[in-house]
Amino acid sequence: MAISIESATSPFAELLALRDSIYLLVAPFWIEVCFIICFVLGFAVLRFDDFFSFRKSVKGEKKKKVVDDHHFHPIANPRLQQVVDKKADSKTILGVWHAAKAKVPTSPQLLRVVVQAMIEEQSKSLITDLMRHIRAHPGAMANSRTAVVALDVLARAGRIDSMTQFLRELREEFGVHPSSSMFEVMLGGYATAGDEAMVSKVMQDMKKSRAALTPRGLSLCIKGFLKNGKVDAVVKKFREMKDFGFQIPPFAVTQLVRIACEAARGREVFEAISTVATLSPEATSQLLEDCVKSNDLLLAKRIEETARSQEVVLTTGAYDALLKLHTMSADPRAMDLFEEMQASSAARISEGLCVGLLARCAEVKFLKFAEEIVKYCRGSGAMTISTYSALMKVYAYCNMYDKACDLYDQICQDGLKPDAVMYGCLMKFAVECGRTQLSQHLSESAPTLDIQNYMSLIRAAGRDKDVKRAFEILERLRSSGVHIDVAAFNCVLDVCVSAGDIKRAQNLMTEMKTLKLVDVITYNTLLKGYCQQGELAKGKALLLEMKRSGHPPNDVSYNCLINAAVCSGDGDLSLAWETIEMMEKSGVEVDHYTISIMMKALKKARDSSDVARAMALLDKSGIEVLSDEILLNTVLETCTRHRETQRLEAILTSYSNSSLQCSVHTYGALIKAASTLKKLSLCWSLWREMEEDRALEPNEIVLGCMLDALVTNRQIESAVQLLGKWKQRLPANMVMYSTIMKGFANTHQADRALKMWKEMLAEKIRLNIVVYNAVIDAQARVGAMENVSEIVSQMEQDGVKPDVISLSTIVKGYCIKGDVEAAFRVFREMQNNGMVKDSIVYNTLLDGCTRNNRFDMADSLLEDMEANHIRPTNFTMGILVKMWGRRRQLDKAFEALATLPTKHGFVPNTQVKTCLISACINNGAVEEAFEVLDSIKKAGYGVEAKVYSAMVNGLVRQGELDKAVALLVEAHGLRGGRPQLAPGGWIEADAIEKLAHGLAQRGLGEKVGVPLLDQLRAAKVPISSRAYTSVLGPCRSSQNGDRYENGVGKGNGNDGSERRDSEARNNGRRSSRPFRSS
């Protein structure tokens, strides 16, 4: 029995064991298992209804398919097929169709033809007839295939209303719902009609019916919108295609770009599609050509970059546009593009392209690229008369008339024959460069001569000042039968004036009046003759005659008289200003020539009021300085000469932002201006732009300006290297050598100056007085007077006589050496020889007496100046201020400043006021020093750095550290204020170091010194490491910090400031301070 029970329970025990095993196995995963079971049950419940509906739909589709298959094979309509095959007219096709439409359904292929025929015949019952035919054969025709065919024909024909009506009736009557193909046709139809709202509605219907949006559907939308010029809608569809991952058709990109460029929206569309679509080669070319129209090089560069990143092949049109744009900006990349175009198989370089590029090179004086184009043309045998003519134009625009004339021989060597226009141009260029024999040869070689050719020959005679030949050419012109106009007579009249034959000019003028061949140019030419002869009274009388004769003076007339006034003698500025007033009263506007003349006149001006008046005239005229190269040169030279630093800064900034392509001479003026502003990096930038980018070769003047800029900015080694590099290609002149020697003198390298002088002698270079004066100055500055004796001896051997500058420099050398008596001996010798006519030597001696504390000799020298009526200058004034400051007679310094400038007609400059500031501080008159500084600020041109440097140095010496710090902050605008320093200037590093050292001694290094230096460095003020070393030195005591906070540097009685204040007051300086009035 036990056995039976055990056998009965054994399977149950096994089940329990199995359950336990399963439980132990599943226990760690029971949460996941429950989740999977619930998910399966939920999915089954949710999809239960769909399962039955799916089965129904499958049955329905099968049933429908059976019906369609049963009815879709209509009995053929052979008659209609024959008519269609014979390409019968629409009327015949419709007749055959109407005859059989009730009996036989129409196949989709024939239905397309029938619907098109209805449209062509403008059938008013199109939809009605179509629906009747479908009703007659619903099994075969009430389907989406028929609908697609009919809708497509209607959409292409623009019958949007009919398309909408047919679709509605088909759906309502037969339950035909749109398929994907139908939706595509609808999208294309509504887009072709330009109906953006309906396109959006169709897309919403597609989304509701779960119809997929296909690339074809979007392409049809884009094509339709393009047809209507819907740029924004097309861009939107482009984005949608991108979002769906579809490829945008290249034709669409090309068409969109074309439409956008026609609507002046090229930039906007490029910005919109550059990250969406791949540019086609045609679209790239179209965009770049649009950039040419707007001269937008920056946009063109972006388009090129995008095209290259998308691996678009650049076509001829793309290269053409890029080359034109880069050429018009004189961008060196044009040469790289041209070289790339030569290697490209997709682009072809034509003669027209080369000629067009050469013409653009002429406009911007891009000589380097022009020569590259010609090199290609020569290599490919494509040098034609058109190419030579364009190259000739390049040389002419660059004022290289000699090279333009040299092309004539090359043209003849190539077997080409110049045309009449080229002959005329060559004759004109030959006249410009003085090759009168060539002009004569050209006149004999030319097949025919027109009046312009004769006038060129007359001008050639004018260059030779050959009045007789000019009249002979005039007689040849008269006998040639060519009609003579007033211009030819004016040319001959100009020859008379150029040769100074006023009498012959007056006789010709009388003849011209008889022939009634007189115009305003005739009068202006004769006026020029009077002005050249200095007969200004006759010139003014001629202006009155012009008014009476009905030829009122123009801007040329007035400018001619103004120029004559400023060029006569010492320059009659009063007559020039009087003529300008007459000009304005007559309603003739001041032009850039007027401004240029007045700027040129300021070279001789001593009165600063004339400078201010000329600058005001420039501002009043509203003329842009960069609009004319001559004007730019004269304004730059004037501002450089008169230290108009703010205006120079503005001009250089405008130039850097402009596209002006200036000549070599103008680069010299720009470099000189940048040097005045101490912007050596800009000097180098201009030099490289001229030499490398523009391929212009510097002349002696420009090289001299660059050497002077380097020397002035204490880059003497760079100057020596530059001269060594160029003197083989450009013969060095005496100005260049003297500039280098000036650099040696400034850096006290007298031995190098002497060595260069001896090398020049060994090379048998004939030296002039300028070089001798430079080498004497180098020796005199270090007191090496024994070398000066050797140099003077060599001067006598070379036949170079010492001038006033030579002897003045020798006087300076003796003063530096401390031998004032020897300096006076040389001075007396100069007086005996009548060489002392101005204050130059007096200034040198006065400075020497002051430096060597020989005030007795200085007093006698001042008496000598007064007795000999020597007019003092600002330099004299500065020396006097220094002298009276050293003698502790500050009142006399102020007195001299108040009287001498007024008496002798000059205005104290910044240098004089700087000397006065130093004198005031050295004499403990800090308040007066600040008054002088305020007067400089009121001038409104910015305070020069050396003024502030002198103030800071003086205040540090006096222990006025708080005021020194305040000045430093004020000068550089460190705490939100406007900087008071002139542009490009900063307080000297030495002054900052001394202030830092003073702050460290007061225990203010960490608290005041370090933050101050950090602020200066943030303002990009040069700070030496020694300044930080000084300011971080050991602090004396914390007590000094408290004193600074309470007003540091007020004077503690130990620095002598109170004693100097007392002495100054005892001298009565406060009772007579005429500075403000002066």
Side-chain angles (χ1 to χ4, degrees):
M1 189 68 181
I3 295 172
S4 63
I5 293 173
E6 187 176 9
S7 61
T9 58
S10 179
F12 182 71
E14 289 178 358
L15 287 175
L16 290 176
L18 179 63
R19 183 200 65 179
D20 293 340
S21 298
I22 293 172
Y23 177 80
L24 291 173
L25 181 66
V26 176
F29 310 104
W30 68 272
I31 297 176
E32 288 81 356
V33 171
C34 292
F35 176 78
I36 292 171
I37 294 171
C38 292
F39 178 79
V40 171
L41 291 174
F43 181 80
V45 172
L46 292 173
R47 303 301 295 176
F48 188 74
D49 292 337
D50 288 347
F51 173 74
F52 287 103
S53 62
F54 172 74
R55 292 188 61 189
K56 290 178 182 179
S57 65
V58 168
K59 290 179 181 179
E61 289 291 335
K62 288 181 178 178
K63 183 177 180 180
K64 180 178 179 181
K65 187 173 187 306
V66 171
V67 173
D68 287 350
D69 290 343
H70 180 74
H71 294 286
F72 190 67
H73 300 287
I75 300 172
N77 188 348
R79 175 64 181 153
L80 180 60
Q81 186 67 52
Q82 290 174 3
V83 172
V84 171
D85 291 342
K86 290 180 180 180
K87 299 182 179 179
D89 57 26
S90 303
K91 192 171 183 180
T92 303
I93 291 172
L94 289 177
V96 173
W97 180 72
H98 280 302
K101 67 181 180 180
K103 302 175 183 177
V104 182
T106 308
S107 66
Q109 292 80 3
L110 292 177
L111 182 64
R112 181 181 296 277
V113 179
V114 170
V115 176
Q116 184 64 40
M118 289 182 180
I119 292 171
E120 291 175 1
E121 291 298 317
Q122 298 182 353
S123 173
K124 296 181 180 179
S125 59
L126 189 154
I127 301 301
T128 304
D129 292 342
L130 194 58
M131 289 302 297
R132 285 176 182 171
H133 184 49
I134 293 173
R135 291 189 196 101
H137 312 282
M141 300 192 67
N143 53 52
S144 61
R145 189 172 182 186
T146 302
V148 167
V149 171
L151 289 171
D152 184 54
V153 177
L154 292 170
R156 290 176 184 273
R159 300 285 290 269
I160 306 303
D161 293 339
S162 299
M163 182 185 77
T164 305
Q165 180 185 351
F166 175 68
L167 184 64
R168 183 178 64 252
E169 293 186 8
L170 197 64
R171 181 166 42 200
E172 291 175 354
E173 189 167 343
F174 297 103
V176 177
H177 292 281
S179 64
S180 295
S181 299
M182 291 172 65
F183 276 124
E184 289 174 358
V185 174
M186 291 162 62
L187 287 171
Y190 288 125
T192 303
D195 194 336
E196 295 181 50
M198 284 303 298
V199 169
S200 298
K201 184 177 183 303
V202 171
M203 293 184 73
Q204 290 174 2
D205 292 344
M206 292 178 70
K207 190 174 182 181
K208 290 177 182 178
S209 61
R210 296 182 180 178
L213 185 62
T214 63
R216 183 173 182 273
L218 285 171
S219 296
L220 289 172
C221 281
I222 290 170
K223 190 174 181 181
F225 285 140
L226 285 172
K227 186 177 180 181
N228 288 275
K230 296 274 188 178
V231 173
D232 296 324
V234 173
V235 171
K236 183 179 178 181
K237 295 304 170 191
F238 273 21
R239 292 199 182 100
E240 290 178 6
M241 288 194 79
K242 176 72 174 178
D243 294 340
F244 281 109
F246 300 150
Q247 185 71 31
I248 298 173
F251 85 88
V253 179
T254 303
Q255 185 72 357
L256 172 62
V257 167
R258 183 186 64 78
I259 294 170
C261 291
E262 288 175 356
R265 296 181 63 185
R267 172 189 283 273
E268 178 188 344
V269 167
F270 169 71
E271 300 281 1
I273 70 171
S274 58
T275 57
V276 175
T278 300
L279 295 176
S280 64
E282 295 78 11
T284 303
S285 179
Q286 185 78 42
L287 284 168
L288 290 172
E289 287 172 7
D290 190 58
C291 291
V292 174
K293 295 177 183 177
S294 58
N295 195 26
D296 193 340
L297 177 59
L298 292 177
L299 178 59
K301 286 182 176 180
R302 291 181 54 204
I303 294 168
E304 180 195 359
E305 182 182 355
T306 301
R308 290 185 187 277
S309 67
Q310 295 176 350
E311 298 182 353
V312 177
V313 177
L314 297 182
T315 62
T316 300
Y319 278 113
D320 187 307
L322 285 170
L323 285 168
K324 287 176 180 176
L325 285 165
H326 283 83
T327 303
M328 287 305 294
S329 297
D331 192 326
R333 176 157 165 68
M335 292 181 282
D336 297 333
L337 286 168
F338 191 67
E339 184 178 353
E340 182 183 307
M341 188 178 184
Q342 294 175 47
S344 174
S345 59
R348 186 181 68 85
I349 301 176
S350 64
E351 178 193 353
L353 173 62
C354 293
V355 172
L357 291 176
L358 285 170
R360 284 173 167 79
C361 286
E363 293 177 22
V364 297
K365 303 173 185 175
F366 197 179
L367 181 60
K368 191 171 184 178
F369 184 38
E371 290 176 341
E372 287 294 320
I373 296 169
V374 172
K375 181 180 177 182
Y376 164 78
C377 292
R378 290 192 191 281
S380 58
M383 287 300 291
T384 63
I385 283 293
S386 299
T387 313
Y388 273 114
S389 180
L391 178 59
M392 202 174 288
K393 184 179 179 182
V394 174
Y395 286 140
Y397 272 60
C398 293
N399 296 326
M400 302 170 72
Y401 298 110
D402 264 321
K403 283 201 170 186
C405 292
D406 291 341
L407 292 177
Y408 176 66
D409 293 334
Q410 297 177 26
I411 292 170
C412 296
Q413 290 172 9
D414 288 350
L416 301 172
K417 189 174 182 180
D419 55 18
V421 175
M422 182 175 283
Y423 270 117
C425 291
L426 282 168
M427 290 171 65
K428 181 180 177 182
F429 300 152
V431 172
E432 290 291 341
C433 63
R435 295 171 67 170
T436 52
Q437 290 184 350
L438 177 61
S439 65
Q440 189 69 28
H441 170 74
L442 291 168
S443 69
E444 296 169 358
S445 303
T448 58
L449 292 179
D450 58 15
I451 192 167
Q452 295 297 328
N453 301 142
Y454 280 108
M455 288 169 63
S456 293
L457 292 173
I458 293 170
R459 292 190 185 99
R463 289 191 69 92
D464 295 338
K465 301 189 183 301
D466 192 340
V467 178
K468 181 181 178 182
R469 193 167 91 226
F471 274 94
E472 289 174 354
I473 296 169
L474 180 62
E475 290 304 317
R476 280 175 55 192
L477 177 58
R478 282 174 168 172
S479 60
S480 67
V482 178
H483 174 69
I484 306 177
D485 58 10
V486 65
F489 279 101
N490 285 339
C491 275
V492 180
L493 184 65
D494 188 62
V495 174
C496 296
V497 168
S498 300
D501 195 344
I502 297 298
K503 187 174 181 180
R504 197 83 179 263
Q506 289 172 332
N507 293 338
L508 182 60
M509 179 78 167
T510 303
E511 181 184 354
M512 293 173 69
K513 288 179 179 177
T514 304
L515 296 171
K516 296 183 179 179
L517 291 174
V518 177
D519 59 9
V520 69
I521 298 174
T522 312
Y523 279 105
N524 285 342
T525 305
L526 185 59
L527 176 62
K528 182 175 71 172
Y530 287 142
C531 291
Q532 287 177 353
Q533 297 296 318
E535 299 179 3
L536 301 186
K538 287 186 178 180
K540 293 177 72 174
L542 190 62
L543 289 181
L544 297 175
E545 183 183 334
M546 292 175 71
K547 292 180 180 178
R548 291 194 299 269
S549 65
H551 299 95
N554 58 11
D555 54 342
V556 177
S557 315
Y558 287 111
N559 287 336
C560 184
L561 193 57
I562 293 168
N563 186 62
V566 300
C567 293
S568 61
D570 292 333
D572 192 348
L573 283 175
S574 59
L575 176 59
W577 288 118
E578 178 187 338
T579 309
I580 289 174
E581 291 175 1
M582 290 170 53
M583 184 178 185
E584 292 175 333
K585 287 179 182 177
S586 300
V588 179
E589 292 185 357
V590 169
D591 62 3
H592 58 274
Y593 289 111
T594 317
I595 303 296
S596 297
I597 294 166
M598 294 309 298
M599 291 294 166
K600 182 176 65 176
L602 294 179
K603 291 180 181 179
K604 302 178 182 178
R606 295 181 178 178
D607 192 345
S608 59
S609 62
D610 285 320
V611 179
R613 189 173 181 183
M615 294 300 171
L617 181 67
L618 171 62
D619 296 334
K620 180 183 176 183
S621 68
I623 298 172
E624 173 56 46
V625 174
L626 271 68
S627 64
D628 179 77
E629 199 166 347
I630 297 175
L631 175 62
L632 175 60
N633 273 280
T634 54
V635 173
L636 282 172
E637 290 173 7
T638 302
C639 292
T640 301
R641 180 182 294 271
H642 294 282
R643 311 290 297 179
E644 293 280 337
T645 53
Q646 285 187 323
R647 197 176 290 269
L648 280 177
E649 184 87 29
I651 293 172
L652 290 175
T653 302
S654 298
Y655 173 78
S656 64
N657 295 328
S658 74
S659 57
L660 177 66
Q661 304 296 317
C662 57
S663 63
V664 172
H665 179 77
T666 307
Y667 275 110
L670 289 166
I671 289 170
K672 200 171 182 180
S675 174
T676 302
L677 296 174
K678 306 295 183 186
K679 293 190 173 184
L680 190 57
S681 60
L682 180 56
C683 294
W684 277 119
S685 176
L686 291 165
W687 178 268
R688 285 190 291 270
E689 178 185 316
M690 173 192 65
E691 182 193 4
E692 299 173 8
D693 298 347
R694 300 280 311 287
L696 298 175
E697 188 165 304
N699 56 24
E700 295 90 342
I701 296 174
V702 179
L703 180 56
C705 289
M706 190 64 203
L707 291 173
D708 185 71
L710 293 169
V711 168
T712 303
N713 289 277
R714 306 185 75 81
Q715 296 292 321
I716 183 64
E717 296 304 326
S718 298
V720 172
Q721 291 172 9
L722 186 65
L723 179 60
K725 174 185 174 182
W726 279 93
K727 69 178 181 180
Q728 301 300 325
R729 297 166 57 184
L730 196 65
N733 55 32
M734 295 301 105
V735 175
M736 298 178 194
Y737 281 119
S738 62
T739 301
I740 298 295
M741 287 192 178
K742 184 178 73 173
F744 290 147
N746 291 339
T747 54
H748 296 91
Q749 299 184 66
D751 53 341
R752 293 188 68 181
L754 193 66
K755 182 181 177 182
M756 176 177 276
W757 170 66
K758 290 181 178 179
E759 288 174 354
M760 294 171 70
L761 291 176
E763 294 174 9
K764 305 297 183 183
I765 298 174
R766 187 173 178 81
L767 308 183
N768 62 8
I769 189 64
V770 177
V771 176
Y772 270 112
N773 286 342
V775 71
I776 288 173
D777 182 50
Q779 308 308 310
R781 290 194 182 206
V782 297
M785 302 309 295
E786 63 280 358
N787 293 336
V788 172
S789 300
E790 179 186 354
I791 296 166
V792 172
S793 176
Q794 185 63 45
M795 287 178 72
E796 293 175 357
Q797 295 179 30
D798 290 347
V800 180
K801 188 177 180 180
D803 61 4
V804 175
I805 296 174
S806 311
L807 296 174
S808 299
T809 307
I810 294 171
V811 169
K812 179 179 70 175
Y814 281 122
C815 290
I816 291 173
K817 190 176 180 181
D819 193 349
V820 181
E821 287 79 4
F824 260 88
R825 285 196 296 271
V826 177
F827 170 68
R828 295 305 178 193
E829 182 181 345
M830 293 176 66
Q831 279 187 319
N832 294 334
N833 292 329
M835 299 178 70
V836 182
K837 297 180 180 179
D838 54 29
S839 62
I840 294 176
V841 187
Y842 281 100
N843 292 339
T844 304
L845 267 175
L846 274 173
D847 188 57
C849 292
T850 302
R851 289 175 182 272
N852 291 281
N853 295 322
R854 295 299 300 271
F855 301 128
D856 55 332
M857 299 180 78
D859 291 338
S860 65
L861 204 57
L862 288 173
E863 293 172 1
D864 197 279
M865 285 184 73
E866 186 72 25
N868 290 303
H869 306 289
I870 300 297
R871 182 180 177 182
T873 63
N874 268 311
F875 195 77
T876 317
M877 196 70 249
I879 297 169
L880 290 177
V881 168
K882 290 179 185 177
M883 182 186 73
W884 294 121
R886 283 194 174 202
R887 296 170 77 171
R888 302 294 181 186
Q889 293 179 326
L890 201 56
D891 283 345
K892 289 194 176 182
F894 277 96
E895 182 182 348
L897 191 63
T899 57
L900 289 180
T902 305
K903 181 179 179 180
H904 296 284
F906 67 91
V907 178
N909 60 18
T910 306
Q911 286 76 15
V912 173
K913 294 179 181 179
T914 305
C915 292
L916 186 59
I917 286 172
S918 297
C920 288
I921 292 178
N922 290 336
N923 282 272
V926 176
E927 293 179 7
E928 282 72 9
F930 274 98
E931 288 181 10
V932 179
L933 178 62
D934 289 340
S935 72
I936 297 174
K937 291 180 192 175
K938 289 176 182 176
Y941 301 117
V943 184
E944 291 190 15
K946 57 186 175 183
V947 177
Y948 272 110
S949 298
M951 284 285 290
V952 170
N953 277 326
L955 290 169
V956 171
R957 285 197 303 271
Q958 297 294 321
E960 299 275 3
L961 299 187
D962 57 340
K963 292 181 179 178
V965 170
L967 273 180
L968 206 60
V969 171
E970 174 190 283
H972 293 288
L974 299 181
R975 295 173 187 169
R978 184 175 66 87
Q980 296 296 318
L981 280 172
W986 48 72
I987 292 179
E988 296 170 0
D990 182 62
I992 298 174
E993 288 175 22
K994 290 178 180 176
L995 176 58
H997 183 69
L999 291 171
Q1001 286 185 325
R1002 294 285 180 89
L1004 298 168
E1006 291 286 347
K1007 187 173 183 181
V1008 178
V1010 173
L1012 178 64
L1013 293 180
D1014 289 343
Q1015 289 174 356
L1016 288 169
R1017 176 165 287 180
K1020 298 184 179 179
V1021 178
I1023 303 294
S1024 67
S1025 58
R1026 292 191 301 273
Y1028 275 100
T1029 303
S1030 298
V1031 83
L1032 291 173
C1035 300
R1036 293 193 176 182
S1037 67
S1038 60
Q1039 186 178 5
N1040 288 330
D1042 297 333
R1043 288 177 56 199
Y1044 186 87
E1045 293 175 357
N1046 296 326
V1048 67
K1050 300 295 184 180
N1052 57 7
N1054 296 325
D1055 56 7
S1057 60
E1058 292 181 355
R1059 176 176 56 80
R1060 284 192 292 272
D1061 285 344
S1062 177
E1063 288 176 358
R1065 282 193 293 271
N1066 292 335
N1067 286 331
R1069 58 176 174 78
R1070 296 185 186 276
S1071 59
S1072 56
R1073 185 70 67 237
F1075 179 75
R1076 290 194 181 91
S1077 61
S1078 67

